[in-house]
Amino acid sequence: MAPGPRRGSACEQAFYDGISGCWQPSGVSTTAEDIRTKIKDYKIPFDSHFPNQNETRNCWLNYLDFHHCEKAMTTSEGGDVSMCEWYQRVYKSLCPVSWVSAWDDGRAEGAFPGKI
Amino acid sequence: AYPSQLGLQDASSPIMEELMNFHDHTLMIVFLISSLVLYIITLMLTTKLTHTSTMDAQEVETIWTILPAVILILIALPSLRILYMMDEINNPALTVKTMGHQWYWSYEYTDYEDLCFDSYMVPTSDLKPGELRLLEVDNRVVLPMELPIRMLISSEDVLHSWAVPSLGLKTDAIPGRLNQATISSNRPGLFYGQCSEICGSNHSFMPIVLEMVPLKNFEDWSLSMI
């Protein structure tokens, strides 16, 4: 299998421009290329629910949504927790690490302010 | 930047270029008005002519009402244009978080692996020759250049403000709130800034240094830091 976008290849510029669809699947890739594909996959796009400067609610709601989804998937039969991966990706990128650990501790102790 | 600099730093982002042009435009208007007023004052103070029976001055009053309104519109239109340009939707390639503390910044790159580090000012006694006093830090914020990057800014204790003048950035760091700014650098290099909201005794000693590098260098750096 061909490796990911090579230096000077047509896909490289498309990658830098953030245009998807030019990526080629990689077989034996180096870690730098892993990161390049991960950047493409892991970038959190603009969310029109939160068009302004204040992204607090974006972080909070995605954290809540992930845990709602995880709880729903684990309690129902045939639920697949990997469906919740998007919310997890978003909250991991957006929410400060200290907030996430405080909320996780709160959930463990039953002192979490949100309803899950 | 150079010693005894009076003006803005060279622009390194498209928004900053727009801001510099706007600043030049507005400052020119300010200079014109000030010099006109000063000239008129000198005329008033150096004439022997008098006129003691002034009743009204309709024509000049009309002019000096309409003309300032026109000047204000000429300032407001470019200003609003840039304001909206700063809020344009873009798809950031990377998200980085920064938390203000008393008295240092911490940075989190959590898009793929968890990379977190603190950035303290280098004390003056530890500076190497050629380094800038009160501006250098131990761990710089390395970022890829020419890509839009989402910067999320908050604080762990009191109000701070994360500012990098050459990129036209200044965003308050408010505890409990996550403010978003977009970084986009035209070129590689080191870009310095300082905390811009009073936050205690060492408010002047928590600078910010961005190191904008090509994407490959950024990837190598983040691998080495994890």
Side-chain angles (χ1 to χ4, degrees):
Chain A
M1 288 222 267
R6 279 163 298 136
R7 301 253 165 252
S9 75
C11 287
E12 183 180 299
Q13 189 55 47
F15 171 78
Y16 283 15
D17 291 339
I19 299 168
S20 60
C22 197
W23 174 69
Q24 296 141 35
S26 67
V28 179
S29 54
T30 65
T31 39
E33 303 211 343
D34 267 338
I35 289 184
R36 193 179 291 122
T37 33
K38 279 177 182 169
I39 287 178
K40 183 207 157 278
D41 288 335
Y42 277 72
K43 58 183 183 186
I44 309 300
F46 170 74
D47 186 349
S48 56
H49 291 104
F50 309 99
N52 298 319
Q53 194 188 40
N54 186 359
E55 297 280 307
T56 317
R57 206 135 173 84
N58 194 354
C59 147
W60 170 250
L61 287 180
N62 276 288
Y63 182 85
L64 276 186
D65 287 347
F66 172 69
H67 288 96
H68 284 144
C69 176
E70 193 187 29
K71 181 176 179 189
M73 291 300 165
T74 46
T75 51
S76 73
E77 293 207 9
D80 180 16
V81 184
S82 66
M83 303 295 286
C84 310
E85 195 197 319
W86 174 253
Y87 300 118
Q88 183 175 42
R89 225 196 268 166
V90 176
Y91 94 70
K92 272 203 178 311
S93 275
L94 294 184
C95 298
V97 163
S98 61
W99 292 10
V100 173
S101 56
W103 292 338
D104 288 344
D105 294 342
R107 276 188 308 113
E109 292 165 10
F112 183 64
K115 203 171 79 151
I116 294 185
Chain B
Y2 48 87
S4 307
Q5 179 174 347
L6 287 179
L8 299 166
Q9 294 180 32
D10 288 343
S12 310
S13 79
I15 293 289
M16 191 56 197
E17 285 171 21
E18 296 283 349
L19 285 170
M20 281 182 77
N21 290 332
F22 174 69
H23 176 260
D24 290 345
H25 162 78
T26 310
L27 194 61
M28 179 55 76
I29 294 176
V30 164
F31 283 160
L32 287 174
I33 294 173
S34 306
S35 43
L36 175 68
V37 169
L38 265 177
Y39 175 62
I40 293 175
I41 290 175
T42 49
L43 281 184
M44 295 295 111
L45 295 176
T46 54
T47 182
K48 294 238 169 46
L49 303 168
T50 56
H51 190 281
T52 52
S53 58
T54 307
M55 295 305 288
D56 63 12
Q58 301 287 35
E59 304 80 5
V60 67
E61 296 236 355
T62 310
I63 293 177
W64 71 36
T65 306
I66 304 280
L67 193 55
V70 168
I71 292 174
L72 286 176
I73 292 176
L74 285 181
I75 297 175
L77 290 178
S79 173
L80 288 172
R81 185 181 71 90
I82 298 178
L83 189 64
Y84 278 81
M85 199 185 290
M86 286 173 161
D87 272 348
E88 270 176 1
I89 298 169
N90 57 8
N91 259 323
L94 184 66
T95 301
V96 183
K97 285 162 279 181
T98 175
M99 305 294 285
H101 306 253
Q102 283 176 311
W103 287 279
Y104 63 97
W105 295 95
S106 65
Y107 298 97
E108 301 166 9
Y109 296 64
T110 50
D111 278 344
Y112 30 103
E113 303 291 329
D114 275 351
L115 166 55
C116 306
F117 57 88
D118 297 337
S119 179
Y120 280 85
M121 183 186 82
V122 173
T124 308
S125 50
D126 295 347
L127 285 173
K128 301 196 195 64
E131 287 187 337
L132 301 170
R133 189 179 70 92
L134 306 186
L135 284 175
E136 301 288 351
V137 296
D138 52 3
N139 298 314
R140 295 179 184 146
V141 190
V142 178
L143 292 170
M145 66 190 207
E146 294 173 343
L147 285 174
I149 297 162
R150 180 196 276 120
M151 198 73 194
L152 294 167
I153 299 151
S154 186
S155 167
E156 294 280 16
D157 37 35
V158 298
L159 295 182
H160 300 269
S161 186
W162 198 82
V164 184
S166 51
L167 297 171
L169 296 172
K170 183 179 297 177
T171 310
D172 283 354
I174 299 165
R177 180 182 168 113
L178 203 52
N179 276 334
Q180 179 179 276
T182 306
I183 304 179
S184 174
S185 171
N186 289 343
R187 50 196 166 88
L190 292 175
F191 303 109
Y192 293 85
Q194 293 175 291
C195 178
S196 301
E197 183 68 39
I198 186 80
C199 51
S201 55
N202 285 2
H203 156 68
S204 316
F205 309 118
M206 44 184 294
I208 297 134
V209 185
L210 297 187
E211 187 177 328
M212 308 301 289
V213 293
L215 183 58
K216 172 79 173 50
N217 299 62
F218 170 71
E219 291 167 352
D220 295 340
W221 170 84
S222 44
L223 274 177
S224 72
M225 290 288 283
I226 292 176

